Amino acid sequence: MSQQTPLYEGKAKRIFATDNPDQLLVEYKNSLTAFNALKKDTLEGKGELNNKISSCLFKYLADNGVENHWLRQVDDIHQIVRSMTIIPVEVIVRNIATGSLVKRLAVQEGLELAFPLVEYCYKSDELGDPLIIHDHAVLFGWATDEQLKKIKQICLEINRILSELFSKLGIILVDFKLEFGLDSQGRLMLADEISPDTCRFWDKETRAKLDKDRFRQDLGDVLGAYREIWTRLQKHFNI
């Protein structure tokens, strides 16, 4: 499959058309951004780690019944995915209070939530991905009521599957952001990526942060944190 026309470039990935209209080539970049790209940097090797981590987790989810856009990893920084029409609603699933939740509601940092909190944001860089409710998405045509109900159900199942997986790796899945889309046949499925860019991971014993918060908060050794996630996944799956 040959790389063809560039279609889109985001903060962390480039998307290319291929010779198959139903498939796209995703290239993971080494760029790091935070606070709606107000803070930027480049980290050599970050794209490779995110590509490998996302590929591993997408495959694991598919093997556990969660349909998603991932088809195969091509090389260190590329993967082939299904062509999707992305629903402009980002979903955040939270197991522990941190980040914007603490800032918005002044709840205790590190509070373990009694059940997973599911939040929605309108996917718009210009508006800073504002928090929305279910009815906003339906009223303004960003998603249907049926789609949102199914998305929430899938998100909670993903949370269960990945929380159990990472617990075996000595890692707490604190929270994560997901995106969904429709394929050429109108099937709703998980898209985008699952990586330390889009998830918060804490070490179970030390509570050390193993994700992009190390960049957001100037904690240092960002690449080392991403590499630790990949190393534990490699060991678990014998990759």
Side-chain angles (χ1 to χ4, degrees):
M1 178 172 292
S2 60
Q3 176 177 319
Q4 295 184 355
T5 310
L7 296 179
Y8 171 79
E9 180 166 356
K11 293 188 282 280
K13 297 184 293 295
R14 296 185 184 92
I15 311 295
F16 298 87
T18 70
D19 51 16
N20 183 334
D22 289 329
Q23 297 182 7
L24 300 174
L25 181 73
V26 179
E27 177 182 295
Y28 280 72
K29 297 162 57 176
N30 288 326
S31 57
L32 270 168
T33 64
F35 313 119
N36 201 25
L38 293 177
K39 184 176 183 179
K40 302 178 183 179
D41 203 352
T42 300
L43 195 61
E44 190 65 33
K46 178 254 194 183
E48 177 179 342
L49 288 166
N50 275 1
N51 182 41
K52 290 177 176 178
I53 291 167
S54 277
S55 293
C56 177
L57 295 178
F58 275 132
K59 183 179 185 304
Y60 183 72
L61 287 172
D63 290 344
N64 282 272
V66 178
E67 198 170 21
N68 60 73
H69 74 159
W70 184 85
L71 294 171
R72 65 184 182 276
Q73 184 178 326
V74 178
D75 56 31
D76 285 346
I77 62 169
H78 295 98
Q79 59 184 235
I80 295 292
V81 302
R82 292 181 177 91
S83 180
M84 308 285 287
T85 301
I86 297 298
I87 293 172
V89 176
E90 298 179 344
V91 187
I92 302 168
V93 182
R94 301 182 184 275
N95 297 308
I96 293 177
T98 191
S100 64
L101 180 64
V102 172
K103 293 177 183 177
R104 282 187 279 117
L105 302 179
V107 295
Q108 178 188 342
E109 170 79 24
L111 175 69
E112 294 190 16
L113 304 179
F115 56 85
L117 174 64
V118 179
E119 297 182 320
Y120 305 97
C121 294
Y122 176 44
K123 183 175 168 62
S124 169
D125 287 340
E126 295 79 10
L127 298 176
D129 300 332
L131 196 69
I132 61 171
I133 62 172
H134 179 114
D135 288 354
H136 284 136
V138 175
L139 283 169
F140 301 127
W142 301 327
T144 68
D145 180 70
E146 181 181 356
Q147 286 170 344
L148 286 172
K149 287 177 179 176
K150 186 174 181 181
I151 284 171
K152 182 174 182 179
Q153 180 183 12
I154 296 170
C155 285
L156 291 173
E157 179 64 5
I158 290 170
N159 186 50
R160 182 190 67 78
I161 293 169
L162 293 186
S163 291
E164 290 176 0
L165 169 64
F166 279 104
S167 181
K168 294 174 184 176
L169 308 184
I171 293 170
I172 301 168
L173 180 59
V174 175
D175 60 35
F176 55 97
K177 175 184 72 68
L178 299 174
E179 295 186 24
F180 290 80
L182 302 172
D183 72 0
S184 59
Q185 299 176 7
R187 295 181 300 172
L188 176 72
M189 64 181 70
L190 178 65
D192 194 41
E193 68 177 284
I194 306 176
S195 75
D197 271 11
T198 61
C199 305
R200 282 189 172 95
F201 299 116
W202 292 355
D203 182 86
K204 252 188 182 182
E205 293 186 6
T206 66
R207 294 261 168 152
K209 297 177 179 180
L210 302 173
D211 54 67
K212 196 163 72 169
D213 270 354
R214 300 200 69 84
F215 175 64
R216 293 186 186 99
Q217 300 171 15
D218 297 316
L219 298 176
D221 197 21
V222 179
L223 194 65
Y226 284 49
R227 189 180 292 115
E228 182 65 22
I229 297 295
W230 176 234
T231 297
R232 296 194 197 188
L233 285 169
Q234 280 183 298
K235 183 176 180 180
H236 181 77
F237 290 109
N238 294 316
I239 299 173

